[in-house]
Amino acid sequence: MNTRTFRSCAALTVTALAAVTAGLTAQTATAASPASSASRGAAQVVEGAGELFPELNGMRIQAAGSVDVYLVLDGKRHLIPSPVTYDALFRGTEGIRRVLTVDNIADGGPLTAYAYLARTADDPTVYLVSNGLKREITPAAMDTFGFDPRKVRTTYDWVLAALPSAALPTGRTT
């Protein structure tokens, strides 16, 4: 086989594989992901919106070929809406996990633009403030999630007291 024929066959093979992969992305991602049903046990299915993956809590994930980064909270993916919001919360980008797809993880909606970490001057408890809610962040979760302690804002106690509480993220256990 000459070089020209080889290149044509290779291009045809790559095109065929791309077409097959595009049609089976969701099925392949579910079967090939490290959190597949064989390794994670039973996952809760959210009607029409993917599955809950609480064992992924704290992970920052990014689908292949996408610029969008998500934070997994309560087993759901939450879009981090901008680089400004990302930089206000996290230490760096080295903790982002690249995955084939995020479509199999239930969508929890985006974090608020300009979400932030806050505490009061007289209480060391840190909260993630987003979507009109405060979510307590334990010291273990602070590390697991990759939050940057230098980016915690000190605010008035009445500001945090006025916000309803969301669920406590416990971080991953493994």
Side-chain angles (χ1 to χ4, degrees), residues 11-165:
L12 183 59
T13 302
V14 169
T15 303
L17 285 173
V20 169
T21 302
L24 299 175
T25 299
Q27 294 168 351
T28 303
T30 301
S33 75
S36 68
S37 59
S39 64
R40 74 174 181 279
Q44 286 184 306
V45 176
V46 177
E47 182 97 16
E51 297 179 15
L52 296 178
F53 289 87
E55 67 275 13
L56 300 181
N57 282 345
M59 283 191 183
R60 287 166 282 149
I61 56 174
Q62 182 179 41
S66 175
V67 296
D68 293 337
V69 177
Y70 297 86
L71 175 64
V72 179
L73 288 170
D74 305 321
K76 300 175 186 175
R77 64 185 158 96
H78 297 268
L79 176 67
I80 301 168
S82 70
V84 172
T85 302
Y86 186 93
D87 291 339
L89 299 173
F90 301 102
R91 289 189 290 256
T93 58
E94 63 279 349
I96 298 173
R97 300 240 178 136
R98 302 318 190 268
V99 296
L100 184 59
T101 184
V102 297
D103 294 336
N104 58 329
I105 301 171
D107 186 358
L111 296 179
T112 303
Y114 306 108
Y116 61 96
L117 299 168
R119 63 177 291 266
T120 63
D122 57 344
D123 186 357
T125 305
V126 175
Y127 297 91
L128 170 62
V129 178
S130 180
N131 299 313
L133 300 171
K134 66 183 177 192
R135 179 184 298 265
E136 184 179 345
I137 305 296
T138 64
M142 191 81 171
D143 185 54
T144 299
F145 283 49
F147 290 129
D148 190 341
R150 296 171 299 171
K151 297 179 181 173
V152 176
R153 299 179 189 178
T154 301
T155 190
Y156 296 105
D157 58 351
W158 59 266
V159 172
L160 290 177
L163 295 170
S165 293

